[in-house]
Amino acid sequence: MPRSLGRFLRWDVVVTALLIVVFFGGLGADPNFGNADNLAFALGDLGEIALIALPMTLLVVCGQVDLSVASVLGLASALTGYLWDAGVPFETIIPVVLVVGVVCGLINGLLVTRLGLPPLAVTIGTLTLYRGLAYVVLGTEAVSEFPPQYTAFTGNVPGLPVPYQVALFAVLAVATALLLHATGFGRSLFAIGSSEDTAFFAGIGVKRIKLLLFTVSGLVAAFAGIVFTLRYGSARADNGAGLELTVIAAVLLGGVDFDGGKGTLGGVIAGVLLIGVLRNLLMLNDVTTEIQAIVTGLLLIISVLTPRLITLARRPPVERSLQ
C-alpha cells in the first residue's frame, strides 16, 4: 500500500474526518443543531466524559484500564451532597472529596502493581465497591441547593458559548498532549504498553508509573463528580452510572489500542466530540436513552474492530495470508 494512502487510513484521521462529516450533516439535518445555545449544551454535556478521558487515554496507552471511574464520580457526588447537607463549607468539601478520589485511585493502583492483579478484574470489583459506598454515604436521597458562586462555574465563559469545564478541558488537553507526545514520560507509557518486560529492562519504573496513572485517574474522576453534581444541581449516589463505557468508547474510538502502545490524544479528542455530536443529534430527535446506549455500544465495537481491520489491510498480501 502506498505510504501516502497509509497515512489517510490512520484511524484517528478517519475519526476526525467522520466528525467533520457528521457535524456538517447535523447542521443540514436539524435547524436547532447549529444554535449557539445547543452547541454550548452539547459541549457542557461532554464535560465530565472529556475530563475523565484524559487520564484514561494515558492508562490505555500504558496497557491498563480503569472501569471504576464512573463509580468514583458517583461516590464523589454522594460525599459532596452528604457533607453539604451536614453543614460543611464547600471550600472544605472540595479538597476532602478530591482526597477520597486519590485514595480510590491509589487502591486500584496498589492492587494492580503490588499484588499483580489484572486491571480489568480489579476495576470491575472496585466499580461495584465504590458505587456501593456511594449508597452507604447518601442512600437513595438527593441533595440540592448548592452555593450559587460554585454552580455558576458550570455555566459558560462570559462572552463565549463555551462552558467553563470545557475551557478547563482544553487547557488540560494541551498539557496532556505535550506530556504524552513530547516528553520522556510519554515515551515511557508507549514503551510499557508495547512490552512491559522490555520497558522494565530498559530502566523504566513500570509499577511506579502505573500506580501514578491510577491515582490521577481517581483524582480526575472525583473532580468530575463535583462538576457533575454542580452542573445538575443534584448530588445522588447513582450519578454517572454507566459513564465509564462512554469514556472507554471515546478513547478506543479515537484510535488508542486497547492492548496498549498505540494512539494519539488528538484522536481521542475527535472521538469524544464525535460521541457528543451523535448524542446531541439523537436527543434533538427525541431518541430514547436506551437507543443512545445501543449507539454507544455499537461505537465501542466499531472502535475496537475497525482499526484492526485497517492495520491488516496495510500489511503486505503475503503477510496477510499467513494470519
Side-chain angles (χ1 to χ4, degrees), residues 7 61 63-64 67 78 94 102 115-116 121 136 172 191 231:
R7 291 197 197 100
V61 164
Q64 308 297 300
L67 295 179
I94 293 175
V102 167
L115 297 183
V136 169
L172 293 177
R231 184 161 68 89

Side-chain angles (χ1 to χ4, degrees), residues 89-277:
F90 215 82
E91 293 78 6
T92 303
I93 292 174
I94 293 175
V96 169
V97 171
L98 294 180
V99 168
V100 169
V102 167
V103 171
C104 290
L106 194 60
I107 290 172
N108 288 338
L110 289 173
L111 290 173
V112 171
T113 60
R114 303 307 173 191
L115 297 183
L117 301 176
L120 190 63
V122 166
T123 56
I124 286 176
T126 54
L127 176 155
T128 305
L129 171 63
Y130 298 153
R131 185 67 69 179
L133 288 175
Y135 279 102
V136 169
V137 169
L138 197 60
T140 57
E141 299 178 3
V143 176
S144 57
E145 298 183 3
F146 296 101
Q149 65 267 34
Y150 286 97
T151 56
F153 282 104
T154 62
N156 292 347
V157 176
L160 295 173
V162 178
Y164 277 107
Q165 64 266 33
V166 175
L168 175 62
F169 164 75
V171 173
L172 293 177
V174 171
T176 304
L178 291 174
L179 180 69
L180 181 61
H181 298 296
T183 68
F185 181 80
R187 289 189 290 273
S188 296
L189 298 186
F190 284 104
I192 295 170
S194 298
S195 173
E196 277 194 28
D197 291 338
T198 302
F200 174 78
F201 287 114
I204 296 173
V206 175
K207 290 184 178 181
R208 185 180 69 253
I209 289 176
K210 290 198 291 187
L211 181 61
L212 174 63
L213 293 181
F214 276 108
T215 303
V216 171
S217 178
L219 171 64
V220 174
F223 177 72
I226 296 173
V227 173
F228 191 101
T229 301
L230 294 176
R231 184 161 68 89
Y232 284 100
S234 177
R236 295 176 55 92
D238 62 350
N239 276 350
L243 194 72
E244 69 281 342
L245 295 182
T246 305
V247 174
I248 294 293
V251 172
L252 299 185
L253 185 61
V256 180
D257 194 323
F258 193 69
D259 293 329
K262 297 178 183 177
T264 65
L265 189 66
V268 172
I269 293 172
V272 169
L273 292 175
L274 178 58
I275 287 179
V277 168

Side-chain angles (χ1 to χ4, degrees), residues 30 32-33 38-46 49 231-232 275-293 295:
D30 195 308
N32 294 319
F33 176 72
N38 178 65
L39 291 178
F41 170 80
L43 288 172
D45 195 42
L46 281 176
I49 296 170
R231 184 161 68 89
Y232 284 100
I275 287 179
V277 168
L278 289 172
R279 280 175 43 166
N280 186 253
L281 285 171
L282 292 173
M283 282 191 289
L284 288 175
N285 288 277
D286 297 322
V287 175
T288 63
T289 55
E290 290 79 10
I291 299 299
Q292 293 181 40
V295 171

